[in-house]
Amino acid sequence: MKNKIWLSSPHMGGGELKYIHEAFDANWVAPLGPNVNGLEQDLATFLNENVQVAALSAGTAALHLALIECGVRAGDEVICQSMTFSASANPIAYQGATPVFIDSEKDTWNLCPVALEDGIKDRISKGKKPKAIIAVHLYGMPFKVDEVMAVANRYDIPVIEDAAEALGSTYKGKSCGTFGRFGVLSFNGNKIITTSGGGALVCHSEEDKEKAVFLSTQARDDAPHYQHSHIGYNYRMSNICAGIGRGQMEVLKSRVDARRKMCDFYVDLFKNVEGIDVFVAPNADYYSNHWLSAITIDAAKIGITREDLRLALLAENIESRPLWKPMHLQPVFEGAPYYGGKIAEKLFENGLCLPSGSNLSEDERTRITDSIQNTLKK
Ligand SMILES: *Cc1c(COP(=O)(O)O)cnc(C)c1O
């Protein structure tokens, strides 16, 4: 059997071990230390805005703390893009709140501003104004920031930007993760850079960041003994993981370039194939890190389904994956309100993510080309 070609695998830069050794030498083997502070500074500098960053144990933890800081409590409603990974929506349930799911639009596959406004109006008419909006930059593609923010501002609802897949992406030259009241980043093993597991909350005030750090370190009041007046969490990032992150930050720009080249590779591969479209930016305002390259397949035109292609690649030991199954179609969220049409549903039926790693070799790309061309010939 040939080596497995993964959808997206960790890609170390070489500098990571230096920071880990420093942590061991200074005995900072704990969920605090110089690497944690250093990574937060590196991220704030990279995002290139006046932001404060809190390094956490996961992107999911960052979303949870963002909801808490937005005042979401049991019985509240929170709007969430339906087409996403379940981690975008699960923290709503952690708070005992109800998710209200919204369809995507065709250009960016992200939150549809029209369905968003319909949903907000309808929830308000039913007696509850949503407490927050979770908008996602799917696969690194920025959502329609101007349109979504305009709707959110019209109703004065805070936006939590799920930029877990979009570190290095920009909209009109500004970093994804810096537009909302809070931004969420992830450094899970499959993301564009990794700390093995980790995440961060992007804040716009020192106060918001301090609150996130306080809640993520068990909410200890200022006292010599252990005194608590809030429920706390153990969500802080470890200084070892942060060391990996600091090394990864040194190569982030080249990782973005490599992922974008993988997307160009697929654009070239499918350029004369009628019935397969590669997911690309609608115009120059949108700069995607192309964390994952994705295609949609028109089975009526080309005679194969996305499942046919997925299985053909799997037979060659090449991993591919259907697009995220929308949350309003997930058994666990059955009965949650939903606004919009069938755009997310159709994307799920016809869409496939292809190997996108920054570490794929020329040989591996040739294997991908051969497998796909052989499948299309049949
Ligand atoms: C990965 C991911 C998350 C969760 O991040 P973790 O660090 O794995 O907890 C949240 N939202 C989206 C869209 C993601 O892709």
Side-chain angles (χ1 to χ4, degrees):
M1 192 62 149
K2 290 176 193 145
N3 288 343
K4 176 125 184 162
I5 298 181
W6 299 96
L7 202 61
S8 177
S9 68
H11 186 185
M12 292 300 105
E16 295 84 3
L17 281 172
K18 181 187 80 180
Y19 294 103
I20 293 177
H21 280 135
E22 281 173 14
F24 272 71
D25 290 345
N27 205 27
W28 281 110
V29 186
L32 79 168
N35 285 334
V36 175
N37 303 338
L39 178 61
E40 290 177 343
Q41 193 50 57
D42 292 348
L43 284 164
T45 304
F46 178 85
L47 294 170
N48 200 23
E49 295 293 327
N50 191 18
V51 290
Q52 276 82 33
V53 179
L56 301 170
S57 56
T60 311
L63 274 156
H64 190 192
L65 295 185
L67 290 172
I68 294 171
E69 292 208 37
C70 287
V72 174
R73 293 160 169 257
D76 286 340
E77 292 187 350
V78 174
I79 286 188
C80 183
Q81 180 167 326
S82 184
M83 178 101 194
T84 187
F85 178 45
S86 65
S88 304
N90 283 337
I92 301 171
Y94 301 168
Q95 284 305 96
T98 303
V100 173
F101 293 115
I102 306 284
D103 202 2
S104 293
E105 40 77 19
K106 282 180 183 155
D107 295 337
T108 73
W109 298 1
N110 292 312
L111 205 56
C112 170
V114 178
L116 172 65
E117 183 150 24
D118 288 349
I120 293 172
K121 278 188 186 152
D122 194 57
R123 298 326 290 172
I124 291 174
S125 79
K126 288 187 162 64
K128 250 183 205 167
K129 182 169 140 180
K131 272 291 185 64
I133 297 167
I134 299 174
V136 189
H137 304 290
L138 216 58
Y139 305 123
M141 186 65 71
F143 59 77
K144 294 195 164 172
V145 174
D146 285 350
E147 290 88 337
V148 167
M149 293 308 295
V151 174
N153 291 339
R154 202 171 302 144
Y155 296 89
D156 197 22
I157 303 173
V159 170
I160 298 169
E161 225 187 313
D162 184 344
E165 303 178 357
L167 181 59
S169 298
T170 63
Y171 174 79
K172 294 188 175 173
K174 252 180 84 144
S175 293
C176 289
T178 64
F179 295 101
R181 163 89 199 276
F182 292 101
V184 169
L185 303 174
S186 168
F187 315 113
N188 204 342
N190 59 349
K191 297 286 163 48
I192 191 152
I193 60 166
T194 183
T195 59
S196 73
L201 187 67
V202 181
C203 307
H204 293 272
S205 72
E206 199 53 56
E207 193 189 338
D208 278 354
K209 177 189 165 169
E210 272 168 19
K211 189 152 183 213
V213 171
F214 169 75
L215 291 170
S216 71
T217 51
Q218 308 286 23
R220 282 185 63 192
D221 293 342
D222 193 9
H225 56 277
Y226 276 63
Q227 171 89 12
H228 303 275
S229 41
H230 285 269
I231 295 293
Y233 302 88
N234 186 2
Y235 279 172
R236 196 71 163 128
M237 183 182 278
S238 111
N239 193 55
I240 303 299
C241 294
I244 305 176
R246 293 199 76 187
Q248 290 270 279
M249 285 305 291
E250 293 173 355
V251 293
L252 173 55
K253 278 207 171 78
S254 74
R255 298 297 183 260
V256 173
D257 291 345
R259 298 252 176 184
R260 286 176 55 83
K261 281 211 180 93
M262 280 309 296
C263 181
D264 293 342
F265 160 77
Y266 289 114
V267 168
D268 188 56
L269 182 56
F270 292 110
K271 67 172 181 275
N272 296 320
V273 181
E274 218 195 313
I276 294 187
D277 289 318
V278 180
F279 181 39
V280 293
N283 63 53
D285 288 342
Y286 299 80
Y287 183 88
S288 172
N289 68 8
H290 286 298
W291 170 58
L292 292 187
S293 290
I295 55 172
T296 49
I297 301 179
D298 184 341
K301 262 191 199 153
I302 195 156
I304 60 162
T305 63
R306 73 118 152 95
E307 203 50 16
D308 294 333
L309 183 57
R310 190 184 74 80
L311 292 172
L313 290 169
L314 189 64
E316 297 289 329
N317 214 14
I318 298 171
E319 186 184 26
S320 66
R321 192 182 296 150
L323 302 190
W324 299 125
K325 181 173 179 175
M327 290 303 117
H328 73 280
L329 302 176
Q330 297 284 0
V332 70
F333 292 121
E334 206 182 319
Y338 172 71
Y339 295 87
K342 288 195 175 296
I343 290 178
E345 191 172 338
K346 285 272 176 309
L347 284 168
F348 169 61
E349 274 168 26
N350 302 317
L352 192 68
C353 294
L354 297 169
S356 307
S358 48
N359 49 0
L360 292 174
S361 67
E362 208 48 63
D363 278 355
E364 289 173 318
R365 269 190 290 274
T366 305
R367 267 178 65 198
I368 294 168
T369 303
D370 291 347
S371 308
I372 288 176
Q373 284 178 343
N374 288 336
T375 311
L376 296 181
K377 256 184 241 153
K378 277 180 202 153

